[in-house]
Amino acid sequence: MKSETRVLSLLLVIAGALAAQNDPAGEPRIGEKAYEIDFRQSFSGWVAKPPSSSRQISGDQGGLEISARGGGGSGEAGARDVLGVVDRSQAASFLVSIGLGRALSKYRGCLLEVVVRVRADQILTPAKPWEGLRIVMNYATSTTPFNHCAFGNWGTFPVKDIRYRTRIPADAKDISMDLGLLAPAGSAVFESVALTVVDLPLAQKTPPVGPAYKGHPFERLRGFVTGIADAGDEKGQKAIGEIGDEWKANMFKLWFRAKGDPAQVDRDLAAWLPGVDRGLAFAKSKGLYVVLHLGAFEWGVREHGDNSRIYEDPAYAQKVVDIWKLIAARYKGNTTIYAFELLNESCLRMPPAPGCPDYETLMERAALAVNAIDPARTVLVQPEEWWGIRSFERLRPIRAPNVVYAPHVYHPFSVTHSGVGAWYAQYRAKTKNVTWEPKAYPGLVDGILWDKDAVRRELQPARDFQIAYNVHMNVSEFSCVRWAPGESRVRLLRDMIDLFEEYGWDWMYHGYPEFNGWMPQLGSDPFDERRPLTPTATEELLKGWFSKNQWLPHSAQPVVLAIPEPAGSNILPNGGIERGTEGWLAHSDFSKGIAFQVKASNAHQGSACLRITKAAGTKYGGVLAQAPLENGKTYRLTCWMRMEEGSESDLHFTVQYPFGPSGRLKQIGVAFSPAKIFTKEGWTRLTGRFTLRESEPLKRHPHAGIMLPTFTSETGATYDLDDLELCEVATP
């Protein structure tokens, strides 16, 4: 009898445990199946979205078949990120859907692994990485709706499991899931779907004890993101002085932008760092902390939805680490630098290629490399890509010392970025006739009531992450366009900053000096770039908070940073344009649509300058300053440029020289600062360095020299050029 009782008790325990695993009222458990279905047995609850159709195939090789037949739907499906930006599919849609709001209600805040077992046949390569085979979780939240997709699945493949992880928003109001095709042809057979709990809500975690690491001794750091291209030149020093003396910020950010292949990055970094050296010395004289920051926007692979090359080519991932190793060694122990911000808004849109890390692993590699060289250095780590605050719902904590997390805050996006695209469109078209629909704050924005409580709810995932892992936050970007209607801008920024301060977060306003739409001292007229006679409400708001700042000890003596003179003499025969067009050529490959002439008025110095005109519709063009270049030497190029009223274009400098036995002409780019000219007020000084590194001596050639400018847009442009110097300097 006792034996039977023990067996019965054991059976009851087992039955109770099994029941608890599927108890909708119970607490979630890691390993628990939140939802699962075997399409070979049933597809109960799944509904085809018209005009899509599906059928069940029975047997072991069966499942839910979806084929691209007929016209399909159009414009229904899209990728909506957590900023509310919708990228709608242009492909025909063939989808089935299920509502999971009730089934997943108890899993709010849980991290789930989505596993979809599927095979595909002849699904065409799509235009966007989230098209092709469609697997997506859709979320309606208390603020911004968004979805989370599986990326990079098309072609023909046998049965396999497609996996990705998604955290159910803690404030989820409704949840659905779509399966199918966004493609004009092909088919897929879905065998099963399983959603498994792999982590519990952040709010349920027990945080580590002790104070969170923040990397500085002050109550708060408050400052600016800047667009300073060269922190060591006259313009950069002026901006740094204003940040410290006028605004009373105690922190600002300097950017390095990686572009081109790793070899070009090395050249650009070598040209950027001397300016940083001088900028740091000047910042120290003002008691300012500096954040050095890496951006790699140009590494996006367009055909993969701007997926960063970092996740497609191991050499680019390693280059991120190598950049920080070099910078860490150069500035080891430099106390003017507060932190290295490891990577800006990195876009991961495809499964990492073999040999490439995922985002968190890359951040760990870079952070550990810095720590090995400079153990006291703070590093700032953003969440991945444009996922904003919601990215903290799925970010894995970085396993490295001295990490501070760096969210970007741009909600509601329709207010913070209202009219930005239209403004750029009118700027490029040189018209003021472009309009946009203004969105006000507080108020109803895209169907959601946005006020301070809504902003608080939007920030909650970062707040949950902060508490769960006992970490510090530095909001490394937040802003709102100056032409948001009425008092929308200042009211939204005030609510944001109030919450940052409540949570103990440091912050950097984006930006000053920067794109004029963000500039806090400018008024609300989108087409008036003049500073008003009286301070704007945004300027007063920021200065009010900056007045509470504490600063680093200032230098004992003011630092005056003159631009160092080049070591050698000017090798350009007519850099001052005082001998007509002597030494200047229109290169045969680039001369179409380009004209240049000596202009005997408004020169920077002397009696003349060079007027360069590019006709609209000409994409490439430039003029050549002949120069006797030598292999193995480093040169510094300095010139003055002025943009004529009404013209605008991106531009570059290019070095052209013969190499190899045939003497074929080779071109390399020169990184110069500022990187772009958008000013109509006077002359701008540009400077850059380059080193020629070939395996054998260079041959003489009449077309060797500096091509400037090399335009890269098709808009018409008119520039004046004067006082060029090309001098040999010490090779680094």
Side-chain angles (χ1 to χ4, degrees), residues 225-227 255 257 510-519:
V225 180
T226 79
W255 290 69
R257 300 183 184 235
H510 183 87
Y512 179 88
E514 239 275 358
F515 161 57
N516 81 75
W518 308 127
M519 298 275 269

Side-chain angles (χ1 to χ4, degrees), residues 144-334:
T144 309
F146 67 99
N147 57 35
H148 191 185
C149 314
F151 294 97
N153 297 289
W154 50 78
T156 298
F157 52 82
V159 173
K160 69 176 182 179
D161 289 340
I162 295 175
R163 301 170 180 266
Y164 71 102
R165 293 187 174 191
T166 183
R167 192 176 290 273
I168 305 295
D171 61 339
K173 289 186 172 182
D174 198 9
I175 306 166
S176 64
M177 185 176 190
D178 294 346
L179 301 175
L181 305 176
L182 297 181
S187 64
V189 178
F190 295 89
E191 289 193 4
S192 61
V193 173
L195 309 180
T196 306
V197 178
V198 294
D199 192 25
L200 298 178
L202 296 179
Q204 295 183 17
K205 293 184 178 293
T206 301
V209 297
Y213 174 86
K214 64 179 185 177
H216 64 83
F218 300 144
E219 177 191 14
R220 196 84 71 246
L221 295 181
R222 306 177 183 95
F224 284 118
V225 180
T226 79
I228 296 172
D230 187 340
D233 68 10
E234 182 179 351
K235 191 173 181 180
Q237 291 178 28
K238 180 177 182 293
I240 294 169
E242 291 169 350
I243 289 168
D245 296 336
E246 177 188 350
W247 291 89
K248 305 299 183 184
N250 59 10
M251 169 180 58
F252 69 93
K253 183 190 297 190
L254 295 176
W255 290 69
F256 174 70
R257 300 183 184 235
K259 55 187 177 181
D261 61 21
Q264 181 179 339
V265 170
D266 290 341
R267 294 191 296 270
D268 293 348
L269 188 60
W272 181 70
L273 288 172
V276 174
D277 296 343
R278 298 188 294 274
L280 289 173
F282 197 70
K284 184 176 181 180
S285 76
K286 304 296 181 182
L288 294 169
Y289 265 136
V290 180
V291 174
L292 301 184
H293 179 78
L294 173 63
F297 307 110
E298 287 83 354
W299 284 354
V301 180
R302 185 177 298 275
E303 57 269 28
H304 294 162
D306 286 329
N307 186 59
S308 177
R309 205 171 296 278
I310 291 167
Y311 311 111
E312 300 192 12
D313 186 337
Y316 286 80
Q318 184 59 42
K319 180 51 63 178
V320 171
V321 178
D322 291 343
I323 287 169
W324 287 117
K325 288 170 68 174
L326 187 152
I327 293 174
R330 187 182 186 103
Y331 298 119
K332 180 178 180 180
N334 188 313

